[in-house]
Amino acid sequence: MKHEAEAEAKVLPLELVEKILLWLPVKSLIRFRLLYLSSEVPEARCVDLEAPIRGDYALQLPRCCRHFSLSILGSSRGFILLRIHVYGAPLLLWNPVTGSYRSVPYPVVDPDASCWTGSDNLWGGLGYDESSDDYLVVVGWGNGHEWRPQWEYFSVRTNSWKKIECGHLPPHLVTIESALFCNGVLYWLAVKDMEVKFVIVAFDLAGKHLSLVSFPTSGGRLLNLFAGCLGLYYLNFTEDHQKFEIWVMKELSWTKLNVVLPYAHGIHPLCLTKGELVGIKNNELVKVSDKGVSVESLRISCRDNDLKMVMFTQSLLSLPDEFGCTGEEQGK
């Protein structure tokens, strides 16, 4: 209790934080950052990916979730969607810069369904619909054997859930819990039918519809944001060596990036920034050049990377007024 009280005392008032940030140059506020949930203590830590990665710093999680198991379902415009793995706990929309947050209840379905508290069978994402100036929380769920999952989205502006019609969407099973948001669309990696063929499930926020996106080539396994675009990487086997290849989607078509990353590096690519590739190797955050030459590294305490980290841009934005935030849910 003493340590927690000391930590609370070090937190600046929200009003003061906002004033300080408003004095900063715009470029310093929109830098690309990586936030991860530390596996050693219940805290979030942040790394500036556009600067030399010599260290990270702690961020205060909302009080209501500091002592529970968490995962990250996505981010959009500076907000991060957190999932608390406790029965009855809601989802959380959290701005790590201002400390404000808002709870989002799950859709009204079977309250005893294991997907609401378990680590699998449920996936989600967060995106911003520019056409309606609204943030949407999207979730899908199944029972592990259901190849036609259910989908719903929550409108922050109307404070309500609505079912997403799957229409003629082929059967699929989403394999990752968190979504990537890019250019008005949320993306998840999925398996199509019983063929164990990987595809991408896409949800268009403006049109409110789902679709499947094919891979540019076989072998893709992971989605990420590369050069500000939806990207994926896969292992290419050739006669003389193995290497990772990275593809990005630009204007609805796939393009291969000119990045050489030998498989021997053992790097899990995350993003490209200023001509350098950032990735995870064991428990290290690393930067390598586009020729595969190591630039720098930073030891981090994060396991289960896909569920515990997210890339985001800092923001002072607030949620729509219609959301009805209370003082307590502003992180105070």
Side-chain angles (χ1 to χ4, degrees):
M1 294 294 293
K2 179 181 178 181
H3 294 299
E4 184 172 341
E6 292 176 348
E8 291 287 353
K10 295 178 182 178
V11 178
L12 293 174
L14 177 59
E15 295 79 7
L16 181 56
V17 171
E18 290 178 345
K19 289 181 179 179
I20 293 174
L21 291 172
L22 286 172
W23 289 335
L24 296 175
V26 174
K27 288 185 178 180
S28 67
L29 292 177
I30 60 175
R31 297 173 72 90
F32 206 34
R33 284 168 163 80
L34 170 70
L35 181 142
Y36 71 93
L37 302 177
S38 171
S39 57
E40 296 179 354
V41 293
E43 70 175 5
R45 302 195 66 84
C46 189
V47 181
D48 185 347
L49 296 180
E50 297 185 47
I53 53 174
R54 299 190 181 99
D56 57 4
Y57 56 93
L59 292 169
Q60 287 282 7
L61 285 164
R63 294 178 183 177
C64 61
C65 66
R66 289 178 191 169
H67 305 291
F68 301 108
S69 174
L70 302 172
S71 58
I72 298 172
L73 297 187
S75 69
S76 176
R77 302 181 86 213
F79 292 98
I80 293 176
L81 181 62
L82 295 175
R83 182 185 180 194
I84 308 173
H85 294 275
V86 175
Y87 181 80
L91 298 169
L92 288 184
L93 275 176
W94 173 48
N95 186 327
V97 174
T98 65
S100 63
Y101 67 94
R102 173 66 191 187
S103 61
V104 176
Y106 283 107
V108 181
V109 293
D110 180 5
D112 297 322
S114 61
C115 62
W116 304 125
T117 56
S119 60
D120 55 5
N121 301 333
L122 183 140
W123 47 91
L126 171 66
Y128 174 71
D129 179 11
E130 186 175 357
S131 66
S132 59
D133 186 25
D134 194 6
Y135 292 86
L136 300 184
V137 174
V138 180
V139 298
W141 65 93
N143 58 17
H145 304 286
E146 177 59 63
W147 285 80
R148 291 191 180 278
Q150 301 179 63
W151 293 83
E152 292 197 24
Y153 70 87
F154 179 88
S155 165
V156 168
R157 187 165 290 283
T158 64
N159 196 28
S160 62
W161 285 96
K162 188 172 182 179
K163 185 177 180 180
I164 301 172
E165 299 297 335
C166 295
H168 300 291
L169 196 70
H172 61 278
L173 186 63
V174 174
T175 62
I176 59 173
E177 182 172 307
S178 60
L180 284 176
F181 178 64
C182 184
N183 297 325
V185 181
L186 285 166
Y187 298 95
W188 295 263
L189 188 65
V191 177
K192 181 182 176 182
D193 300 318
M194 299 295 289
E195 305 170 8
V196 194
K197 178 182 179 182
F198 283 92
V199 293
I200 297 169
V201 175
F203 178 72
D204 181 271
L205 272 69
K208 309 294 187 299
H209 62 81
L210 289 161
S211 62
L212 294 186
V213 180
S214 299
F215 276 21
T217 184
S218 61
R221 286 295 182 273
L222 196 74
L223 298 177
N224 267 312
L225 292 176
F226 295 106
C229 305
L230 173 71
L232 64 88
Y233 74 86
Y234 77 103
L235 182 60
N236 183 20
F237 294 91
T238 62
E239 294 182 358
D240 54 345
H241 64 284
Q242 303 170 344
K243 67 176 181 179
F244 283 118
E245 290 187 355
I246 297 175
W247 293 73
V248 296
M249 180 181 287
K250 295 183 178 180
E251 298 179 354
L252 302 179
S253 63
W254 290 102
T255 302
K256 189 168 80 169
L257 295 182
N258 185 27
V259 176
V260 177
L261 186 63
Y263 177 62
H265 276 51
I267 295 175
H268 170 116
L270 293 176
C271 69
L272 286 174
T273 175
K274 294 184 178 180
E276 297 170 336
L277 186 140
V278 180
I280 297 293
K281 182 178 182 180
N282 298 323
N283 275 349
E284 285 189 323
L285 185 67
V286 298
K287 276 188 179 182
V288 297
S289 70
D290 59 359
K291 303 302 180 184
V293 179
S294 179
V295 176
E296 55 192 7
S297 64
L298 172 69
R299 189 76 175 177
I300 63 174
S301 57
C302 180
R303 303 188 185 97
D304 201 7
N305 298 333
D306 292 343
L307 305 181
K308 302 293 186 180
M309 61 176 53
V310 69
M311 289 169 286
F312 77 106
T313 53
Q314 288 189 316
S315 170
L316 290 177
L317 293 171
S318 58
L319 297 169
D321 293 338
E322 288 81 351
F323 205 67
C325 292
T326 65
E328 181 181 9
E329 290 182 322
Q330 289 297 317
K332 295 300 174 186

